[in-house]
C-alpha cells in the first residue's frame, strides 16, 4: 500500500516506518525540514517537506495515498490544534473512499481505571481532555475507515520520553532514585515494536476500525519500574516520593497523569487482529536490555 505517515522521525513513528517498510509498503513521510527528509529517506521512506497546518498540501498528499497514519505531536499546548488540522485534512481527503486513517492516542484519557477496555468511560485529566472530541470526529467520519490506537506508555530500544523520565529521576542523599509519588500506581506499557506491529495490522485489515486499547498485559507498579530503572543507571536503589514532590517536579497537569493507576489486557486487539506482544517487559528491558548503561 502507499501510506502517508506523520511523525516518522519520532519514537513511535520511526518504528511504524520501519515496520511498514519491512513489509513492503511504500511510505511517504511528512517532515518539517530537509534534515528530517534525509533521515527518513535513509530509512526507506519518500520524504515530503510539508507544514501540517497547510491544509491544501496535506489534503493533496493524503489524497494520493491508499491510507494514512498520524503519529506526529509537538507535545505542548499546540498539540490539540495540530491534531485538529490533520483530522480536517484527512476527513476531506478520504471522504467517500473508505481508506484507512490511523492515529495514536494514550490511555491517560481514561483516568484511574484498573480494567480499561474500549467501552470504558472517558475520565480525562486536563492535560489530555482535548483528545476525545477530535478522535470522535475522526471515528464519526463516514467516508473513511478511521481507527484510534489508545496506547499505554511506549518503551524499547533505549528510547521513549517516559522511560527517560524514570531513568533521570532525582536522587536522595544516598543516590537512590526518587519515585513519582508513593510508587503504588500501576502503569500500562507496550514495547514500541509491538505497537508498530499493531499499527500495521490495522492498516492491512479492512475489518479493523474504531478504538483499540493497547498494552502488553504486564501491570508493573511505579515502584517496580523505578527500582528497575535504578539498575539500568547504576543507582543503589529507589525510594518512594510523594504526590506533592511529583507535582513540584513536573507541574500539576503532567504529574497528575503519571500518578494514575491503570491496567488493560488489550483483549479486543488480541481477539480481532491476533496481536500478541512478543518483546520483554519494561522492567526486564531496564534490568537486562536496551536501557542498561
Amino acid at each position: 500500500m502507499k501510506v502517508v505517515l506523520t511523525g516518522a522521525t519520532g519514537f513511535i513513528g520511526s518504528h511504524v516506518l520501519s515496520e511498514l517498510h519491512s513489509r513492503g509498503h511504500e511510505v511517504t513521510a511528512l517532515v518539517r525540514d530537509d534534515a528530517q527528509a534525509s533521515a527518513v529517506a535513509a530509512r526507506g521512506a519518500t520524504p515530503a517537506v510539508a507544514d501540517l497546518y497547510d491544509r491544501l498540501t496535506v489534503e493533496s498528499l493524503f489524497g494520493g495515498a491508499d491510507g494514512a497514519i498520524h503519529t506526529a505531536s509537538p507535545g505542548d499546548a499546540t498539540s490539540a490544534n495540530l491534531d485538529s488540522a490533520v483530522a480536517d485534512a484527512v476527513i476531506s481527503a478520504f471522504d467517500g473512499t473508505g481508506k484507512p486513517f490511523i492515529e495514536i492516542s494514550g490511555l491517560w484519557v481514561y483516568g484511574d481505571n484498573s480494567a480499561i477496555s474500549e467501552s470504558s468511560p472517558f475520565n480525562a485529566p486536563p492535560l489530555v481532555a482535548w483528545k476525545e472530541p477530535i478522535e470522535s470526529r475522526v471515528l464519526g467520519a463516514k467516508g473513511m475507515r478511521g481507527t484510534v490506537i489508545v496506547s499505554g506508555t511506549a518503551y524499547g530500544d533505549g528510547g521513549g520520553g517516559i522511560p527517560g523520565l524514570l531513568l533521570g529521576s532525582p536522587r536522595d542523599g544516598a543516590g537512590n532514585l526518587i519515585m513519582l509519588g508513593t510508587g503504588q500506581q500501576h502503569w500500562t506499557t507496550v514495547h514500541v515494536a509491538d505497537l508498530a506491529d499493531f499499527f500495521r495490522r490495522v492498516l492491512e485489515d479492512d475489518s479493523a476500525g474504531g478504538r483499540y486499547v493497547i498494552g502488553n498485559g504486564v501491570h508493573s507498579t511505579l515502584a517496580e519500574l523505578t527500582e528497575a530503572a535504578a539498575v539500568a543507571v547504576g543507582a543503589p536503589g529507589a525510594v518512594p516520593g510523594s504526590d506533592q514532590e511529583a507535582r513540584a517536579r513536573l507541574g500539576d497537569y503532567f504529574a497528575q497523569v503519571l500518578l494514575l493507576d491503570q491496567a488493560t489486557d488489550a483483549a479486543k486487539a488480541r481477539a480481532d487482529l491476533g496481536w500478541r506482544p512478543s518483546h520483554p517487559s519494561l522492567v526486564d528491558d531496564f534490568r537486562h536490555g536496551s536501557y542498561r548503561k
Side-chain angles (χ1 to χ4, degrees):
M1 295 175 65
K2 295 180 179 179
V3 184
V4 171
L5 172 66
T6 75
T9 60
F11 181 54
I12 293 173
S14 63
H15 284 81
V16 172
L17 170 56
S18 295
E19 173 71 14
L20 296 182
H21 181 64
S22 71
R23 297 302 183 110
H25 295 289
E26 299 178 30
V27 180
T28 296
L30 306 191
V31 295
R32 290 193 304 269
D33 52 41
D34 291 339
Q36 288 193 338
S38 297
V40 298
R43 300 173 67 95
T46 299
V49 178
D51 180 348
L52 292 180
Y53 290 100
D54 182 348
R55 180 164 171 174
L56 291 178
T57 298
V58 175
E59 272 192 39
S60 176
L61 290 164
F62 282 162
D66 300 315
I69 296 175
H70 176 46
T71 68
S73 176
D76 59 25
T78 68
S79 296
N81 292 336
L82 181 71
D83 273 14
S84 185
V86 172
D88 288 342
V90 76
I91 289 170
S92 178
F94 283 5
D95 184 34
T97 67
K99 293 178 180 179
F101 173 69
I102 309 165
E103 67 174 308
I104 188 72
S105 185
L107 287 185
W108 294 338
V109 297
Y110 292 106
D112 278 311
N113 189 329
S114 61
I116 297 171
S117 72
E118 290 76 10
S119 62
S120 295
F122 295 103
N123 186 22
L127 185 72
V128 293
W130 53 270
K131 283 183 172 289
E132 190 275 331
I134 298 171
E135 294 164 2
S136 291
R137 187 151 51 90
V138 166
L139 297 179
K142 302 300 183 183
M144 66 183 191
R145 177 164 65 88
T147 304
V148 176
I149 296 177
V150 192
S151 175
T153 295
Y155 67 91
D157 295 341
I162 302 301
L165 185 69
L166 297 186
L167 295 167
S169 298
R171 304 194 183 203
D172 68 5
N176 298 298
L177 301 187
I178 299 174
M179 300 172 195
L180 289 162
T182 63
Q184 296 310 298
Q185 71 271 36
H186 296 82
W187 279 9
T188 289
T189 57
V190 60
H191 193 284
V192 67
D194 289 326
L195 180 58
D197 171 78
F198 188 71
F199 269 89
R200 177 189 57 79
R201 289 171 184 264
V202 171
L203 179 74
E204 295 174 347
D205 192 325
D206 290 340
S207 69
R211 294 184 190 275
Y212 288 95
V213 170
I214 292 293
N216 61 9
V218 179
H219 307 130
S220 303
T221 64
L222 204 282
E224 292 169 324
L225 290 168
T226 313
E227 288 161 0
V231 174
V233 299
V239 296
S242 67
D243 291 4
Q244 183 179 8
E245 187 278 332
R247 292 188 177 97
R249 189 196 316 180
L250 300 172
D252 288 340
Y253 283 2
F254 193 26
Q256 184 179 14
V257 298
L258 298 178
L259 294 170
L260 293 173
D261 186 57
Q262 297 187 311
T264 183
D265 60 7
K268 180 182 176 184
R270 296 170 187 266
D272 290 3
L273 295 175
W275 180 71
R276 296 291 184 274
S278 61
H279 289 75
S281 70
L282 179 52
V283 166
D284 287 341
D285 210 350
F286 273 154
R287 290 185 176 275
H288 310 293
S290 63
Y291 294 94
R292 289 295 299 269
K293 299 298 183 183

